[in-house]
Amino acid sequence: MKRRGFLGAAAGAGATVLLGACARSADATASSRTASAAASADSTTAPSAPTLIQQVRIFDGVRVIRAGDVLISGAKIAQVASRITPDRDWKVVSGRGRTLLPGLIDAHVHISSVDDMATMAQHGVTTVLEMFGAPQAATANRSAAASRNDVADFHSSGWGASGTGGFLSSRTPDVPTVGGPQDAEAFVAARVAEGSEYIKLFVQDPSTSGLPEMSEATIAAVATAARRRNLHSIAHAPYRWAFDTAHNANVSIITHVPLDDTIDRQWALRAAARKQIFVPTLVMSKAQVESQGSSASPCCVSPSATTGSGGMKAVPGLSYDNARDSVAALHAVGLPILVGTDSHAPGAGISGPASVPFGSSMHTELALLVDAGLSPVQALRAATALNASLFRLADRGRVKSGFQADLLLVTGDPTSDITATKDIAEVWRRGAPLKKSDGS
């Protein structure tokens, strides 16, 4: 994937047009390399014989095709047609009572090892976008994804931007920081040199941390520096103060939605005018309220990773209804909503305020987005073609000839019942089956 050119038409067009277009520690790095080395030979190459999926309902990333055949050859989708006559040496998989979808894309994860990427793939998530991680671990994870077909493909922001002396930097002192607008260009340039594919920012209210955090002007400067390089700026903003600040600073993507207040239509219309994009991570919002109640510390660093002292002031008035209703308001004005989970390994480095498991949480997130007002097709689009389009993953997110054969076959019809995505019959990653379906 190219690191440049992320924004382009993506930042300047609506979701419909876009669909038409197109530190982990050294221990984590060692774990990734060890897992990669242990991969079996059949996980690195696609099967030599083509696979034909016959008479299956197809959600192609944009629309539903009632029945058709899909031919996989090598790592690519070779053909999609109403009927394809199989050769004798082809493997044939029945699509009766099933639906074929593009492999799902999770736009917000925190990976600790290649095992996490393997878990994602087993749940039909064939691409993950990490939103904070050590560059050396990201390099190892990319290498594993490039050489193995039994793990999800991997992309990363590398280190995220946070204020010098602020809450995050006081707990992770080796992570580079941004002291003010004057540091923005150098920070972004350094991340690009390390291989970052987009720029993550931690937007923290200094009144809750009691520490110097990035100002709105600094956040805007980082977003501008990213934009100059055609990279997305992605703001961590789970509370209203952070949400407003990220919006005012004109970041391109805001991840999370407020738990302490509800976004109204007028706010959503202002965001639409700026063509901002949203990754709500409702599964994290719900888990946080269920585990911490209505007043919680907005901490994003696990206790095992902290080195500083002091604590966060609790943010009162938290309610999952605020998060759900905010998504409904954003969706009602046509803003792009992408699917991400904030899944992570409990206690590993950057860790959310509640447990969100790898893989299975994607299916929970889809259901929560439908509950918030998206149709099943809109939610599936947000997890496939729209995620791919907005992150410029031009070779995936569609069931279409020439695209990478990252595919998910489920029993039932998730285009009418979104919970059917959990009933997985087979997953293909670059044409290689993960579950070794027998064709029945």
Side-chain angles (χ1 to χ4, degrees):
M1 175 180 131
K2 296 180 181 177
R3 290 196 300 270
R4 300 184 183 276
F6 262 46
L7 292 180
T16 301
V17 174
L18 286 166
L19 284 172
C22 264
R24 290 311 82 76
S25 64
D27 289 342
T29 305
S31 173
S32 293
R33 289 173 177 160
T34 300
S36 181
S40 61
D42 68 355
S43 71
T44 62
T45 57
S48 57
T51 296
L52 178 64
I53 307 164
Q54 287 187 317
Q55 293 306 288
V56 66
R57 180 186 299 103
I58 301 167
F59 172 71
D60 73 355
V62 178
R63 65 191 179 97
V64 180
I65 300 170
R66 292 180 61 86
D69 289 2
V70 177
L71 178 63
I72 301 170
S73 182
K76 300 289 186 180
I77 299 170
Q79 188 179 359
V80 180
S82 57
R83 293 276 184 182
I84 300 171
T85 302
D87 286 353
R88 293 181 63 182
D89 62 340
W90 291 2
K91 178 178 181 179
V92 176
V93 176
S94 172
R96 188 181 300 276
R98 294 169 168 176
T99 302
L100 186 70
L101 311 97
L104 304 176
I105 300 170
D106 191 331
H108 191 142
V109 302
H110 298 283
I111 296 295
S112 296
S113 74
V114 174
D115 288 345
D116 301 335
M117 296 156 61
T119 298
M120 299 294 271
Q122 286 291 327
H123 285 87
V125 181
T126 54
T127 300
V128 297
L129 306 177
E130 182 177 59
M131 289 297 156
F132 184 95
Q136 64 269 28
T139 297
N141 289 337
R142 287 191 190 96
S143 178
S147 63
R148 294 175 55 177
N149 290 332
D150 63 337
V151 303
D153 195 17
F154 176 88
H155 303 270
S156 180
S157 68
W159 297 128
S162 64
T164 302
F167 179 78
L168 182 63
S169 67
S170 72
R171 272 105 177 117
T172 54
D174 295 331
V175 174
T177 59
V178 184
Q182 72 280 357
D183 296 339
E185 281 288 340
F187 178 88
V188 173
R191 303 292 76 72
V192 171
E194 291 170 346
S196 295
E197 299 167 88
Y198 34 85
I199 303 299
K200 178 73 179 290
L201 303 94
F202 288 90
V203 182
Q204 177 63 57
D205 183 354
S207 71
T208 62
S209 70
L211 297 168
E213 306 291 352
M214 288 192 298
S215 66
E216 184 178 305
T218 300
I219 295 163
V222 174
T224 298
R227 194 173 296 111
R228 287 195 185 105
R229 294 164 174 81
N230 283 333
L231 298 179
H232 278 313
S233 55
I234 305 175
H236 165 88
Y239 304 98
R240 183 59 187 260
W241 184 94
F243 214 70
D244 287 343
T245 301
H247 165 69
N248 293 336
N250 202 24
V251 300
S252 54
I253 298 178
I254 301 177
T255 187
H256 311 301
V257 282
L259 278 166
D260 56 334
D261 198 8
T262 300
I263 295 304
D264 62 21
R265 179 176 177 82
Q266 292 306 310
W267 194 103
L269 288 170
R270 291 194 298 272
R274 293 190 170 186
K275 298 180 171 60
Q276 287 174 312
I277 301 160
F278 296 86
V279 185
T281 69
L282 287 176
V283 64
M284 170 56 80
S285 299
K286 196 170 194 296
Q288 180 177 350
V289 172
E290 288 175 350
S291 67
Q292 297 186 354
S294 62
S295 181
S297 171
C299 176
C300 61
V301 184
S302 85
S304 64
T306 64
T307 58
S309 59
M312 300 285 285
K313 292 182 181 177
V315 176
L318 304 190
S319 168
Y320 176 72
D321 291 348
N322 289 330
R324 182 195 60 216
D325 294 347
S326 292
V327 171
L330 297 170
H331 176 61
V333 302
L335 280 159
I337 292 175
L338 306 183
V339 179
T341 62
D342 201 6
S343 55
H344 58 274
I350 290 297
S351 181
S355 178
V356 176
F358 293 108
S360 61
S361 59
M362 167 61 80
H363 305 283
T364 306
E365 182 72 13
L366 288 168
L368 292 174
L369 288 171
V370 170
D371 181 64
L374 279 70
S375 71
V377 166
Q378 288 170 332
L380 293 171
R381 193 178 293 149
T384 56
L386 189 57
N387 253 347
S389 176
L390 285 166
F391 278 95
R392 292 300 178 86
L393 302 168
D395 62 347
R396 69 199 68 188
R398 300 291 305 275
V399 180
K400 188 175 181 180
S401 177
F403 277 61
Q404 188 163 285
D406 289 355
L407 298 167
L408 170 61
L409 181 67
V410 302
T411 300
D413 181 9
T415 68
S416 60
D417 175 9
I418 195 65
T419 64
T421 61
K422 296 185 291 186
D423 195 355
I424 297 174
E426 183 59 277
V427 179
W428 288 267
R429 169 89 167 93
R430 283 194 298 243
L434 271 64
K435 296 180 179 294
K436 317 297 184 187
S437 57
D438 60 7
S440 60

